[in-house]
Amino acid sequence: MAAHFSLLSPHHSLSATHSHLPPSADPPDELRRGLGLLQATALNVANMVGAGPFITIHLLITAMHGPQALIAWIIAAVLVFCDGMVWSELGAALPASGGSYHFLSVIYGGYRWGKLIPFLFIWQFLVSGTLEVASGYIGAVNYLTYAFPGLDVSLAVWHIPGGQSTLAAAGVLVVTFVLCRPIRWLGWLSVVLCAGTLITLMTIIVVGLWNFDSRLLTFPEDAFRLSPKFFSGLGIAMSIAVYDYLGYYNVCHLGDEVVAPAKTIPRAVMISIAIVAAAYLTMNISILGVIPWEQAMKSNYVASVFMETVFGRNLAVAFTALILWTIVAGCFAITLGYSRIPYAAARRGDFFRVFATVHGEHRYPIVSLWALGLLTASFCYLSLDNLILGAVAVRIVVQFMGQIVGLHLLRKTRADVPLPFRMWLYPIPSLIALVGWSFVLATAEPAILLISLGVLVSGCVAFAVWRAIDWLKHAHESDRRAAFDGLVSGRTSGLGAVCLRLVLRVASCLYWAGIGLRDLGFCVGLIRVTHATLPVISLGNLTTGGTGKTPFAAWVARWFRDQGVRVCILSRGYGADRGSLNDEALVLEQLCPDVPHLQHPDRVASARVAHDELDSQLLILDDGFQHRRLARDLDVVLIDALNPWGFGHLLPRGLLREPLSALRRADLVVITRVDQVSAEQLAAIRQAIAAVCPACDIAEVAFPAERLINASGQTAAIDSLRSQPVAAFCGIGNPEAFRKSLTQCGMQIAAFRTFPDHHDYSRADVEDLQTWAAAQNVAAIVTTQKDLVKISLDALT
């Protein structure tokens, strides 16, 4: 069976008109600045207070089983104050949207592995940040159940799936919609929300101190006995307390939108920590001086119970509305700041580009905002304690510890970065913060540590995948194909390759499940199989492309045509635009012009057209082995001898469309390109086929080169290029087969380029090939007939 090579001279000129495309419009580089010290501090305070002190008091007391848990508040205040100085120095020196992401990118970006750190931050942030916000909405719904005791029953009567969790998720979506406003408007709204928060806090403090009963502040006998149990409880209590303080850095995430960030950011961070630390401690002491700690430990809505104890239920219900206002204010502020983090990463090209999209009029990051909102809504279906502990533990290693180490690197290695604010008593506060974070992490529960480790490991896998995708996007097709073959064949080693193969294997399992269900549908009759009124020969393969189906289909069609049989070829028309033919149809039109070829995704409909309108007597179903809707009388499967089993794995881990066991459906197996492998390799392929389907006939086919031909139909002998240097390019399923054929013909390959299978050559591609061809000192530019029909040129210069 002969094949044609196509010849394009590198020495002739080409002229053509150029298309004119409209220029693309990119969004402005910066969001609009509008946050002064008052607004920045308000955002921090609203973020820090929010849900925290109202939903965690019972968890805090439970952790240490007594009011001695207030020690954790004080230690946590010292920890966040020291860590706040780290944030202040970094925020003043490197103000930009994204906060930690921006800091880590600048500090670690110059190292070979530097992109991993900011990527891991974004990855863990998508988990920890949304866990934190989701906990606020769950806490809000808990207080709502105090005001409406029959809420659960009502939700059940209304048939709302998920009950309280669904209600919390709905709240997420409402707040996200409200955040779709200009930043200046949101800054002033944050001041209003913060005012409500402070009113709530001050009311509890004043009422508590007025009704304070010191006799209620009793401690268990072993409350202060230093033991492993004490330190374990202290660690958990510190995690909860730290969760309540989270948000002291919120203004750093909005660096692009802060007025005079070198001064505003440090002041906002320190002032907000001082305000909230004093308010937290006083409020908790006030509550525990009114409610026995044993009772507070069992309540999901301590603040409401506190007000009921003093003023009765009616006033407590009214006050609960103010508490809900405070919680929503915190969620509002957190979501506003956190939505800027994926936005900043996408702007720098380190995250999905779509996250850099901003609203056309109000200039807020619309995709990032809604992505976080939807993810937060999904986490509302988890338990409150796991959300809180997970939100803290997940971010410690990459974010908090990573920034502390990064600050020291910045001071020592980046003299070019000015430091308008310098940490007081450097480096003591940063070292205290490092010890504190280490203690919190070391005392975390095993399940929480496992979650944190899982996020880090999965982040490394995701980073390997992201880097691979980014490289594939910018690499040339030849490099992409070589990289993919090296990956799926196992030749490429290293941790990144192992991670990528693991991801691909998981995807292959999903693919296997999908095709298994589909095959089951055919076997049990759930998917209908249509029998054509004409005999059908199906030509297909097990792997993706590159087995030589097109020349084989042409040979089969010509053979039957020579016997006087009216043949029609049916194909899906992969890669063809509406109303046009793809490359396979164009090649078949040249190889067998007297055989009609119908291209349509519905090959059952094409079979009717071939019978009713073309008066055909035989149908050849091209690439039909997996198209089982149309019954066939003969199933022929082509196996490429160069890569018979697609690296031994299903897509996308390998190239197999179906498992090898699918060959049992075949009537005839044709091994192609047998002239390009050894006798031993061919025998091994035959043996593997016989092991699966011993009764199946096996044939062998080769595609020797016959001649050279150009777009005008002029031909030349293959021997004319023997021992001559040539440059070659192709866009076929198996470019290695083309390379081997050129070598077998005696040509010396000086340059070789590949494009994706069925590649539709654009004007830019042709111009790029012209530039490439002009740089080659060769006798000819050689391509395949399948590529030439799409270019239709005699020369590339």
Side-chain angles (χ1 to χ4, degrees):
M1 205 174 300
H4 300 304
F5 290 158
S6 301
L7 176 66
L8 291 88
S9 169
H11 307 300
H12 293 84
S13 63
L14 173 71
S15 62
T17 58
H18 294 265
S19 61
H20 297 278
L21 300 177
S24 60
D26 291 327
D29 290 338
E30 291 190 0
L31 302 174
R32 296 173 182 168
R33 294 184 183 271
L35 299 177
L37 178 60
L38 175 62
Q39 297 163 316
T41 304
L43 278 172
N44 272 13
V45 172
N47 190 334
M48 295 172 69
V49 177
F54 302 108
I55 69 174
T56 60
I57 294 178
H58 67 291
L59 297 175
L60 185 76
I61 299 174
T62 301
M64 299 191 72
H65 200 74
Q68 69 272 20
L70 293 178
I71 296 175
W73 286 99
I74 299 172
I75 298 176
V78 175
L79 171 58
V80 299
F81 186 82
C82 292
D83 194 60
M85 281 196 271
V86 175
W87 281 89
S88 296
E89 184 165 336
L90 292 175
L94 305 169
S97 288
S100 292
Y101 163 75
H102 178 63
F103 305 156
L104 298 174
S105 296
V106 172
I107 295 170
Y108 295 104
Y111 296 93
R112 182 178 179 182
W113 44 267
K115 280 188 172 292
L116 174 63
I117 303 300
F119 182 92
L120 283 178
F121 165 72
I122 297 293
W123 184 263
Q124 63 83 25
F125 158 77
L126 291 175
V127 178
S128 64
T130 48
L131 286 173
E132 178 186 351
V133 182
S135 66
Y137 288 97
I138 292 177
V141 172
N142 283 341
Y143 273 92
L144 201 60
T145 59
Y146 173 82
F148 302 98
L151 182 61
D152 284 332
V153 176
S154 298
L155 293 174
V157 171
W158 297 335
H159 303 289
I160 296 178
Q164 293 185 25
S165 298
T166 300
L167 191 60
V172 175
L173 301 181
V174 171
V175 171
T176 303
F177 176 77
V178 173
L179 281 167
C180 297
R181 298 293 182 272
I183 184 62
R184 188 179 298 275
W185 187 89
L186 294 176
W188 284 112
L189 179 59
S190 69
V191 174
V192 176
L193 292 174
C194 183
T197 298
L198 293 178
I199 291 173
T200 306
L201 274 176
M202 292 307 299
T203 300
I204 293 177
I205 290 173
V206 171
V207 171
L209 293 178
W210 188 266
N211 296 275
F212 188 81
D213 185 355
S214 60
R215 292 173 298 178
L216 295 178
L217 279 177
T218 59
F219 298 94
E221 293 183 2
D222 59 347
F224 298 101
R225 186 166 63 89
L226 302 182
S227 64
K229 181 181 178 181
F230 174 86
F231 288 107
S232 175
L234 179 63
I236 295 175
M238 281 185 63
S239 293
I240 297 170
V242 165
Y243 162 83
D244 290 336
Y245 285 118
L246 289 180
Y248 55 91
Y249 45 75
N250 192 44
V251 66
C252 294
H253 298 312
L254 303 163
D256 279 344
E257 299 157 273
V258 175
V259 177
K263 295 181 178 180
T264 301
I265 290 178
R267 291 174 181 175
V269 170
M270 296 305 172
I271 292 173
S272 60
I273 291 176
I275 291 174
V276 174
Y280 272 2
L281 185 60
T282 307
M283 187 192 76
N284 281 278
I285 293 176
S286 300
I287 290 177
L288 294 179
V290 175
I291 304 175
W293 64 265
E294 294 89 350
Q295 180 184 356
M297 189 170 62
K298 300 176 183 179
S299 176
N300 290 332
Y301 30 76
V302 175
S304 295
V305 173
F306 165 84
M307 295 299 291
E308 181 178 348
T309 302
V310 178
F311 298 108
R313 177 169 175 79
N314 290 337
L315 187 59
V317 170
F319 188 76
T320 299
L322 197 56
I323 296 175
L324 290 172
W325 172 283
T326 300
I327 295 175
V328 172
C331 295
F332 172 93
I334 296 172
T335 305
L336 175 62
Y338 285 4
S339 66
R340 270 53 178 179
I341 297 175
Y343 160 78
R347 271 189 58 192
R348 291 173 59 95
D350 292 336
F351 205 57
F352 299 106
R353 181 64 184 174
V354 68
F355 280 80
T357 305
V358 295
H359 189 273
E361 179 182 357
H362 300 313
R363 317 309 301 161
Y364 63 85
I366 183 171
V367 174
S368 179
L369 178 62
W370 277 104
L372 263 66
L374 294 174
L375 191 57
T376 301
S378 67
F379 282 143
C380 287
Y381 294 87
L382 302 179
S383 64
L384 180 61
D385 54 345
N386 286 332
L387 286 173
I388 291 174
L389 296 176
V392 174
V394 165
R395 68 182 69 194
I396 288 178
V397 174
V398 176
Q399 184 175 16
F400 295 138
M401 291 183 171
Q403 284 186 176
I404 294 171
V405 174
L407 176 61
H408 295 289
L409 289 175
L410 185 70
R411 282 184 170 236
K412 292 182 179 297
T413 64
R414 296 295 302 273
D416 58 308
V417 178
L419 300 175
F421 171 82
R422 289 179 173 269
M423 177 186 300
W424 308 328
L425 301 177
Y426 175 85
I428 295 176
S430 61
L431 297 179
I432 292 175
L434 185 63
V435 172
W437 292 127
S438 300
F439 176 75
V440 172
L441 191 64
T443 54
E445 296 179 353
I448 300 300
L449 287 176
L450 190 61
I451 292 174
S452 301
L453 180 62
V455 171
L456 285 177
V457 172
S458 63
C460 291
V461 174
F463 177 76
V465 174
W466 174 77
R467 291 285 285 179
I469 293 174
D470 184 65
W471 181 85
L472 290 172
K473 184 188 301 182
H474 297 95
H476 188 271
E477 175 63 23
S478 303
D479 298 327
R480 288 199 294 262
R481 188 183 294 271
F484 179 76
D485 288 350
L487 178 67
V488 297
S489 66
R491 293 192 299 268
T492 303
S493 59
L495 178 61
V498 172
C499 293
L500 286 172
R501 280 193 285 267
L502 177 62
V503 173
L504 294 177
R505 184 179 288 275
V506 172
S508 291
C509 292
L510 298 176
Y511 175 81
W512 172 82
I515 61 175
L517 290 174
R518 180 176 177 270
D519 288 343
L520 180 63
F522 282 112
C523 293
V524 301
L526 292 177
I527 304 178
R528 180 184 175 187
V529 177
T530 302
H531 292 265
T533 54
L534 301 174
V536 176
I537 298 177
S538 170
L539 306 178
N541 55 14
L542 279 182
T543 57
T544 56
T547 56
K549 288 192 308 297
T550 300
F552 188 80
W555 180 85
V556 172
R558 287 198 306 267
W559 188 90
F560 278 102
R561 191 68 167 164
D562 292 343
Q563 311 307 312
V565 178
R566 293 189 298 276
V567 181
C568 183
I569 300 175
L570 309 180
S571 68
R572 180 183 181 276
Y574 179 82
D577 295 329
R578 183 180 297 274
S580 64
L581 300 177
N582 68 353
D583 48 12
E584 293 173 343
L586 294 172
V587 171
L588 289 171
E589 191 175 74
Q590 291 186 356
L591 296 179
C592 44
D594 56 344
V595 175
H597 181 189
L598 300 179
Q599 287 192 327
H600 196 277
D602 188 350
R603 280 170 273 192
V604 173
S606 295
R608 297 193 189 101
V609 173
H611 176 267
D612 298 340
E613 300 181 20
L614 302 180
D615 197 25
S616 301
Q617 297 175 315
L618 175 68
L619 302 178
I620 296 179
L621 186 59
D622 186 22
D623 197 14
F625 191 54
Q626 285 77 36
H627 183 80
R628 299 179 61 183
R629 282 187 58 228
L630 185 61
R632 66 286 317 272
D633 300 279
L634 181 67
D635 234 334
V636 182
V637 178
L638 278 66
I639 300 294
D640 183 3
L642 290 176
N643 189 7
W645 317 125
F647 303 112
H649 296 278
L650 290 172
L651 291 168
R653 174 60 180 85
L655 300 179
L656 283 173
R657 294 177 174 182
E658 294 186 87
L660 189 58
S661 58
L663 280 179
R664 295 167 186 159
R665 302 199 312 265
D667 302 301
L668 171 65
V669 176
V670 178
I671 307 174
T672 64
R673 300 193 177 98
V674 295
D675 57 333
Q676 297 185 353
V677 297
S678 65
E680 291 78 10
Q681 290 173 303
L682 187 58
I685 295 172
R686 279 181 162 272
Q687 185 177 359
I689 296 171
V692 177
C693 47
C696 184
D697 293 324
I698 302 175
E700 298 176 2
V701 169
F703 303 112
E706 182 182 71
R707 57 180 177 172
L708 296 167
I709 187 171
N710 64 10
S712 299
Q714 299 172 331
T715 62
I718 290 288
D719 288 343
S720 63
L721 290 180
R722 186 174 296 277
S723 301
Q724 296 292 315
V726 300
F729 70 93
C730 64
I732 60 176
N734 190 346
E736 192 59 31
F738 178 48
R739 185 197 292 269
K740 282 182 174 289
S741 295
L742 296 177
T743 304
Q744 287 177 335
C745 292
M747 302 180 196
Q748 297 178 1
I749 304 175
F752 193 84
R753 292 186 64 177
T754 62
F755 293 87
D757 193 16
H758 300 287
H759 183 66
D760 186 14
Y761 292 91
S762 65
R763 176 71 189 177
D765 291 328
V766 173
E767 291 177 350
D768 182 49
L769 284 171
Q770 289 173 333
T771 303
W772 172 73
Q776 309 303 322
N777 184 22
V778 294
I781 307 295
V782 186
T783 189
T784 69
Q785 186 177 14
K786 182 178 178 181
D787 294 285
L788 184 64
V789 295
K790 291 180 288 186
I791 297 178
S792 299
L793 299 175
D794 290 335
L796 285 176
T797 56

